[in-house]
Amino acid sequence: MNIKKPYHQFFFIAAVVFGLQQVLQAQKIVKPAPLFIEKGELIYTPDSLGNRIPDFSYCGYMASEKTIPNVDIKIIVPVAKGDATLRIQSALDYVASLPVEANGFRGAVLLQKGTYEVLGQLRITASGVVLRGSGMNANGTTIIGAGTVRLALIKIVGKNKLEKEFNGYKIIDPYVPVNATQFHVDSAAINNQLPTKILIRRPSTKNWIAILATDIFGGGISALGWKPGDRDIFFDRTITKIDGNTITIDAPLTTAIDAAYGGGMMYGYSWDGRIKNCGVENLRCVSTYDKNNLKDEDHRWNAINIENAEDAWVRQINFENFAGSAVSVLETSKRVTVEDCKSLHPISEIGGQRRYTFLTTGQQTLFQRCYAEDGYHDFATGYCAPGPNAFVQCESHLPGSFSGGIDSWSSGILFDVVNVDGNALRFGNRGQDANGAGWAAANSVFWNCTAARIDCYKPPTAQNWSFGSWAQFSGDGYWGESNNTINPRSLFYGQLSARLNKKTDDLAQLLFIPGEASSSPSVEVAAELTKLAAKPRMQMPEWIDLGYQRNSVTTNAVNVKTIDQIGIKKITAPTLAAAMQIKNGWLVRGDEILAGARNVVPWWNGGVQGNDLVTAKPHITRFVPGRTGNGLTDDLEEVTDNMKAKHIVAMEHNYGLWYDLRRDDHERVRRMDGEVWPPFYELPFARSGKELAWDGLSKYDLSKYNLFYWSRLKQFADLADQKGLVLVHQNYFQHNIIEAGAHYVDFPWRTANNINNTGFPEPPPFAGDKRIFLAEQFYDITNPVRKELHKKYIRQSLNNFKDNNGVIQFIGEEFTGPLDFVKFWLDVVKDWEKETGKHPVIGLCVTKDVQDAILSNPAYASVVDIIDIRYWHYQANGIAYEPKGGLSLAPRQHARLLKPKKTSFEQVYRAVKEYREKYPNKAVSYSGDSYPEFGVAAFMAGGSLAGLSADINPEILKAAVSMKPVTSLNKNEYVLSDGKRTIVYNIETKKLEKR
């Protein structure tokens, strides 16, 4: 490895400095840690604490110690018309059923040249399976992600069944430096049973957060600040040697473990569900989209997700039109290579969580020879990504935002020969951005990079470095040889050569740059360079296109069967539960009354990391791009299974207070960009792709609907019909138009947020510059524009569930609106019923005065199936608390004025029984004051959806169908009876029994 002397005769010596940094408590002085290049060798001298630039060469498939193999083809999927999802998935599942061979692989599925339309999702779920196409360009293999779903097109996904040892091993070193591969554990814990697979936990303690100044980002408000335990770092490693209490691991640490900041712990783990030796290669992935809207988002977001996997790869793939990531490596994955890939023409809004083209939140990920156009964060590492992670010889053309660390404390990132054309590379402190990301990169390196601007800042307790960078510069990190090109050209491959003790030029495959950079060339050299200038050198996109020549992928298959010969999986239709109906005034499925607990979706809060996910409640239309699970994009199969297991009979759903988590601050200001924060509480209406709404994304079109939102509700309703559950669909959500003004500013109906000329006043008439009172205008159906939009929306709410039987339609969450609007709603329902011949289950859930007025009018009462008592109740003293409708006061505003007292068992029974007796053919449910506490009272009065405990005898729910509440001679007993049999509840003994 020769050393080039750019411009002058001096020899490059880069002093890699952590700075004279005072470490709290320990009061250690950190001295320079120089890196030398001597006779072509990288020579590191640790600083006074032992820290040095990390060895990034451990990134990639098999830690880059082995090349990606050509796996034998075991089955072919011929091109055929129509949806190819089942054909390809059947082939993947067939290979997954084969035994693992000695090389660790089962085999490859080959797709032929041509186009495969995929309406669903392709999943590699077993180790040793590869999906291979017959070429990455238009004349090769194209998989089209069709339809309007936001599913990732392809997933390499194992099972998230990590089992960590409960008791760990304490790391006893006072300080374990950056790049260490050895440490010591408590000798008392050492025995012959030490695990091989380990997690090393580096805690995020209060004093560490304080020295980083990430506890408060400004305003004296700590809501977004880091909390102890929220930014713990977990290194996933393998023990390679045990010598006494000295532990040696297979890859270096990228954040120091310091006793002054809580030290560290080592835990053994097992992970039977994690898969390995999987890949996707040699094809083209394309998403369909609405050609009339270049900001359309009802199509594929991610092309390929890698979850719960190790030693996997993605190579030689062109990506087109995706809204989110071309490749996303999630935190449950490690040792992944993504190479020779291009992302072109992304289609989405310009803002947060969009166009994060090549993203990792995992560790030991290698992205090399990757190219992106018109992205956002094209090359990025996410939340607490432990590192090392490397981007080598990558290029971004005109992205909308920077590449680099984009979320909290990603350590050990290498950007090596990376060019960002028209935007920045950043290692720095993001402050409150990205929901309080704070310091986003630590112990990370820019090497021979070019960008419009390079930010390299030094975090407390760590360092960042930049060598050979061309850009505008900002930051107090270490800078070496700026505006110079240095050797080795690639730090990654220099490190890999040193570690493997061999040349790696054939692995590096660096794009050759012809000519020389001398400012005083000879005449002969000038003539030669002039000739070269007339024939411009190869660019990165072309170099990637030629990847098949450098790393050929076998597509010749001899004596290999097709999926048609082996057989395609058969899909069986789901079994449906008995239809929901009203029988004898009870809401039933089959022969059993519907009763149990209820889920109510959260309205606005949450987060996508740490404890937020542990405590999150399920939500149907919450969306976190590329991530599935509790608190993220919920797996509705899991949600409904959990509801069944926990005796939760119904899910009450309403749209959210706002889409963008930034609005959790309850400010009313217009956002200066579309850098929105997840989780996203999706709203019913589609974005128009035109102009900008208050949140920085495009305005809504109230005459068109968010397909993700409605398809998720439909999916839940379908599952409810299969599993005997109920969806309570709240058409509207009043919280946006009464109370805090922050609830209104991002509301789609606000004039500033849509293209439909809704006519609400602008600027909004905030009372006291804080509150909003727009209910009267919102419910005013004399406005012709708003009336038509309301009518269309109500019909959408009915159309979406026209083939379901387990959906109850309510007018809206927190509804205290006027009688006229309720009549209008029911008129639209009646017209829809006449046109379709269908009868949806309609629940009347309004204030008592409006409820009674509707029920006293036969024309409207006939439309109502269920009476829900929610916004009024009888107090324990027997006096009714009954706020009036149409007074432009929210339920809790009414309560502040009238100060209601709590109800009682007797008064809940009274309220439900009165309506059951007056309207015997309608079901009654109680959802008012203390409803979970008084579920038995509601049930004994004839109430449906009562909150009965899970241990209720099913025979009671069956027997009660023919019964009605009757008066008991025993004042301590409440009775249901059909004249022959009785169900009795004794209020003293708390026993519910059938007699």
Side-chain angles (χ1 to χ4, degrees):
M1 196 184 297
N2 296 323
I3 307 166
K4 193 171 184 179
K5 299 179 180 179
Y7 301 105
H8 299 291
Q9 73 278 6
F10 58 80
F11 175 75
F12 169 56
I13 300 177
V16 179
V17 181
F18 266 73
L20 296 177
Q21 166 186 310
Q22 193 173 31
V23 180
L24 286 184
Q25 299 180 6
Q27 297 292 305
K28 300 163 185 157
I29 304 298
V30 184
K31 297 181 179 179
L35 175 152
F36 298 95
I37 301 174
E38 185 174 282
K39 296 182 179 178
E41 299 295 329
L42 294 164
I43 299 173
Y44 304 88
T45 301
D47 68 16
S48 59
L49 294 176
N51 299 293
R52 51 154 278 192
I53 286 177
D55 187 341
F56 298 99
S57 69
Y58 291 87
C59 298
Y61 171 76
M62 300 297 288
S64 289
E65 294 168 6
K66 295 182 179 180
T67 57
I68 297 172
N70 253 321
V71 178
D72 291 342
I73 299 166
K74 295 301 175 70
I75 190 170
I76 299 170
V77 181
V79 176
K81 291 182 179 180
D83 181 12
T85 308
L86 185 57
R87 293 170 58 77
I88 299 174
Q89 191 61 54
S90 297
L92 291 170
D93 293 344
Y94 166 74
V95 174
S97 71
L98 300 177
V100 177
E101 298 177 353
N103 62 3
F105 290 91
R106 290 182 165 93
V109 173
L110 179 66
L111 306 182
Q112 296 179 329
K113 289 185 177 182
T115 298
Y116 296 79
E117 182 182 61
V118 171
L119 289 167
Q121 183 179 78
L122 304 177
R123 298 167 65 89
I124 295 174
T125 58
S127 295
V129 178
V130 176
L131 177 62
R132 180 180 302 160
S134 299
M136 64 184 288
N137 294 312
N139 60 351
T141 299
T142 298
I143 298 179
I144 294 181
T148 57
V149 297
R150 295 185 183 181
L151 293 172
L153 180 55
I154 303 170
K155 273 192 173 185
I156 296 175
V157 55
K159 295 178 181 178
N160 194 358
K161 292 186 176 180
L162 169 67
E163 295 184 9
K164 186 179 73 172
E165 287 184 351
F166 182 75
N167 296 313
Y169 306 84
K170 183 175 179 58
I171 296 173
I172 61 173
D173 304 76
Y175 192 87
V176 181
V178 174
N179 200 58
T181 55
Q182 285 189 342
F183 53 86
H184 300 85
V185 296
D186 185 353
S187 59
I190 291 292
N191 55 53
N192 293 329
Q193 302 302 313
L194 267 180
T196 300
K197 298 289 187 180
I198 60 169
L199 294 176
I200 300 165
R201 173 177 171 261
R202 196 276 190 190
S204 50
T205 59
K206 183 177 180 179
N207 59 335
W208 181 62
I209 292 170
I211 197 174
L212 296 183
T214 52
D215 47 353
I216 294 177
F217 293 114
I221 297 173
S222 62
L224 294 177
W226 293 11
K227 307 298 187 295
D230 276 353
R231 266 74 175 178
D232 292 357
I233 302 163
F234 290 90
F235 297 97
D236 184 351
R237 298 292 186 260
T238 299
I239 294 177
T240 58
K241 182 180 179 182
I242 301 173
D243 185 3
N245 70 334
T246 302
I247 305 297
T248 303
I249 55 177
D250 65 332
L253 304 179
T254 56
T255 293
I257 295 174
D258 191 341
Y261 304 115
M265 292 290 293
M266 181 185 84
Y267 301 89
Y269 77 83
S270 61
W271 199 335
D272 292 337
R274 183 184 254 182
I275 61 176
K276 60 184 178 181
N277 288 333
C278 298
V280 182
E281 59 191 18
N282 201 37
L283 51 83
R284 179 171 167 252
C285 294
V286 178
S287 174
T288 59
Y289 66 95
D290 181 355
K291 298 295 194 298
N292 296 315
N293 182 4
L294 294 181
K295 292 184 178 180
D296 175 37
E297 296 192 334
D298 279 315
H299 64 104
R300 304 300 178 130
W301 278 60
N302 287 7
I304 300 176
N305 272 17
I306 302 178
E307 308 173 43
N308 310 312
E310 62 182 334
D311 290 324
W313 70 85
V314 175
R315 63 171 172 169
Q316 295 179 32
I317 299 185
N318 278 330
F319 302 96
E320 296 178 29
N321 308 337
F322 291 89
S325 297
V327 182
S328 177
V329 180
L330 273 68
E331 57 270 21
T332 55
S333 296
K334 71 171 188 176
R335 300 210 311 192
V336 174
T337 292
V338 180
E339 67 179 28
D340 292 313
C341 292
K342 296 192 302 185
S343 172
L344 308 173
H345 198 246
I347 299 294
S348 72
E349 300 277 346
I350 308 299
Q353 299 297 302
R354 282 97 171 145
R355 310 186 188 198
Y356 292 14
T357 312
F358 296 102
L359 171 68
T360 183
T361 50
Q363 48 197 296
Q364 292 178 261
T365 315
L366 171 62
F367 293 91
Q368 61 179 351
R369 301 185 302 279
C370 292
Y371 175 81
E373 287 183 359
D374 301 320
Y376 199 70
H377 298 310
D378 277 327
F379 306 113
T381 59
Y383 183 87
C384 293
N389 288 299
F391 298 85
V392 180
Q393 200 179 189
C394 294
E395 186 170 318
S396 169
H397 180 69
L398 296 180
S401 194
F402 67 92
S403 287
I406 62 171
D407 211 328
S408 302
W409 203 264
S410 181
S411 61
I413 319 166
L414 172 64
F415 280 82
D416 186 10
V417 197
V418 172
N419 173 35
V420 175
D421 178 13
N423 218 298
L425 285 164
R426 287 183 179 165
F427 296 154
N429 189 339
R430 299 200 67 192
Q432 66 104 43
D433 288 350
N435 204 3
W439 283 103
N443 304 318
S444 298
V445 175
F446 294 123
W447 185 274
N448 275 336
C449 291
T450 305
R453 169 173 163 160
I454 292 180
D455 291 355
C456 183
Y457 288 86
K458 184 183 83 65
T461 75
Q463 179 61 285
N464 289 313
W465 301 267
S466 174
F467 299 98
S469 297
W470 297 76
Q472 288 187 307
F473 307 111
S474 182
D476 61 349
Y478 180 81
W479 299 91
E481 291 297 297
S482 297
N483 291 334
N484 265 340
T485 300
I486 59 175
N487 275 331
R489 187 170 171 218
S490 166
L491 176 62
F492 180 88
Y493 282 103
Q495 290 178 323
L496 185 62
S497 292
R499 179 163 68 88
L500 301 182
N501 195 27
K502 67 177 185 179
K503 290 185 176 181
T504 57
D505 294 350
D506 57 331
L507 299 176
Q509 299 176 22
L510 298 176
L511 178 59
F512 175 66
I513 300 177
E516 65 170 72
S518 171
S519 61
S520 302
S522 66
V523 172
E524 292 76 16
V525 169
E528 184 60 29
L529 294 178
T530 300
K531 291 179 181 178
L532 289 173
K535 190 177 182 180
R537 69 179 180 87
M538 183 179 293
Q539 300 299 308
M540 182 57 64
E542 300 168 84
W543 186 238
I544 292 171
D545 287 341
L546 296 175
Y548 74 96
Q549 295 180 351
R550 301 187 300 274
N551 305 299
S552 63
V553 177
T554 299
T555 57
N556 293 325
V558 180
N559 298 324
V560 175
K561 291 184 178 180
T562 69
I563 188 59
D564 302 290
Q565 293 171 311
I566 290 174
I568 298 169
K569 290 170 57 178
K570 294 182 179 179
I571 300 298
T572 56
T575 302
L576 297 179
M580 186 178 75
Q581 58 183 310
I582 294 173
K583 187 181 295 186
N584 193 32
W586 294 96
L587 191 66
V588 302
R589 274 196 184 272
D591 58 357
E592 188 172 308
I593 293 168
L594 285 164
R598 292 181 235 171
N599 277 340
V600 179
V601 298
W603 291 356
W604 57 277
N605 62 348
V608 295
Q609 309 294 349
N611 290 331
D612 287 324
L613 299 183
V614 176
T615 60
K617 295 180 180 179
H619 198 295
I620 300 173
T621 56
R622 178 174 53 212
F623 178 55
V624 178
R627 299 183 66 191
T628 302
N630 189 56
L632 304 168
T633 306
D634 282 282
D635 184 319
L636 297 184
E637 284 278 7
E638 291 182 2
V639 169
T640 48
D641 284 345
N642 287 336
M643 289 175 65
K644 289 286 289 183
K646 296 177 181 178
H647 194 58
I648 299 170
V649 69
M651 175 78 82
E652 295 199 6
H653 181 276
N654 56 270
Y655 53 76
L657 266 183
W658 41 64
Y659 170 83
D660 175 10
L661 204 68
R662 287 180 300 181
R663 196 60 70 188
D664 286 11
D665 61 12
H666 280 70
E667 299 289 347
R668 293 167 303 289
V669 296
R670 187 201 302 264
R671 301 303 184 187
M672 63 184 183
D673 55 36
E675 188 71 28
V676 291
W677 298 351
F680 301 133
Y681 288 94
E682 294 284 341
L683 298 170
F685 306 100
R687 301 271 184 173
S688 66
K690 302 172 184 178
E691 307 177 58
L692 292 180
W694 217 245
D695 60 8
L697 302 180
S698 71
K699 289 184 176 182
Y700 293 93
D701 183 346
L702 301 183
S703 68
K704 296 181 179 178
Y705 301 104
N706 180 340
L707 298 181
F708 173 84
Y709 179 92
W710 293 101
S711 66
R712 290 280 292 182
L713 286 172
K714 172 64 174 166
Q715 182 186 352
F716 184 92
D718 290 344
L719 291 169
D721 285 348
Q722 295 168 29
K723 301 177 184 182
L725 303 173
V726 178
L727 171 63
V728 178
H729 179 239
Q730 300 277 10
N731 288 202
Y732 292 92
F733 185 21
Q734 186 177 270
H735 213 66
N736 296 102
I737 53 177
I738 300 181
E739 297 190 87
H743 304 160
Y744 179 70
V745 291
D746 289 337
F747 187 41
W749 286 78
R750 178 187 171 186
T751 304
N753 290 330
N754 63 71
I755 63 171
N756 306 98
N757 300 313
T758 48
F760 295 107
E762 286 292 343
F766 295 128
D769 201 30
K770 188 172 184 179
R771 304 294 175 190
I772 195 76
F773 291 88
L774 280 179
E776 182 174 300
Q777 293 186 52
F778 186 78
Y779 296 131
D780 178 13
I781 53 172
T782 64
N783 180 292
V785 173
R786 296 200 289 268
K787 180 178 181 179
E788 287 306 308
L789 290 171
H790 280 304
K791 185 182 295 185
K792 192 172 188 297
Y793 172 70
I794 294 166
R795 295 176 71 89
Q796 169 64 21
S797 297
L798 300 169
N799 285 328
N800 199 64
F801 308 107
K802 65 182 186 297
D803 298 320
N804 296 104
N805 61 72
V807 178
I808 302 173
Q809 301 277 3
F810 282 179
I811 192 168
E813 177 64 26
E814 292 198 324
F815 185 83
T816 58
L819 175 62
D820 283 349
F821 192 77
V822 180
K823 289 181 176 179
F824 167 75
W825 176 60
L826 293 174
D827 282 334
V828 177
V829 173
K830 285 195 294 183
D831 290 343
W832 185 86
E833 288 181 329
K834 290 177 183 177
E835 290 178 21
T836 63
K838 295 179 179 294
H839 182 75
V841 179
I842 301 298
L844 187 62
C845 182
V846 293
T847 56
K848 191 174 191 303
D849 61 324
V850 174
Q851 204 163 53
D852 289 343
I854 291 293
L855 294 172
S856 66
N857 186 328
Y860 290 108
S862 64
V863 187
V864 175
D865 302 288
I866 299 172
I867 304 164
D868 185 66
I869 301 169
R870 183 170 304 223
Y871 303 118
W872 66 275
H873 65 269
Y874 289 123
Q875 301 168 103
N877 59 12
I879 299 174
Y881 164 68
E882 47 178 323
K884 305 303 180 184
L887 299 183
S888 292
L889 290 173
R892 63 182 178 181
Q893 290 174 325
H894 277 296
R896 289 174 189 143
L897 288 176
L898 303 177
K899 297 180 174 54
K901 303 296 190 297
K902 186 178 177 180
T903 191
S904 65
F905 187 101
E906 180 185 22
Q907 297 302 327
V908 170
Y909 179 86
R910 171 192 171 190
V912 174
K913 187 181 178 186
E914 284 179 354
Y915 277 96
R916 279 288 274 119
E917 291 179 341
K918 193 170 184 179
Y919 305 101
N921 295 322
K922 300 186 188 302
V924 179
S925 58
Y926 180 77
S927 311
D929 180 59
S930 305
Y931 81 87
E933 179 182 347
F934 296 119
V936 175
F939 175 69
M940 295 307 298
S944 300
L945 298 178
L948 303 182
S949 63
D951 58 2
I952 182 74
N953 183 348
E955 293 304 313
I956 288 178
L957 297 178
K958 293 178 181 178
V961 174
S962 62
M963 298 180 181
K964 61 182 179 179
V966 298
T967 302
S968 173
L969 297 177
N970 185 338
K971 66 177 183 179
N972 292 323
E973 289 185 344
Y974 293 82
V975 178
L976 289 166
S977 177
D978 61 5
K980 299 178 181 178
R981 300 170 299 169
T982 59
I983 295 171
V984 179
Y985 178 76
N986 189 298
I987 196 167
E988 286 190 338
T989 64
K990 311 296 184 188
K991 286 187 177 179
L992 180 67
E993 56 186 350
K994 184 176 70 167
R995 295 178 183 174

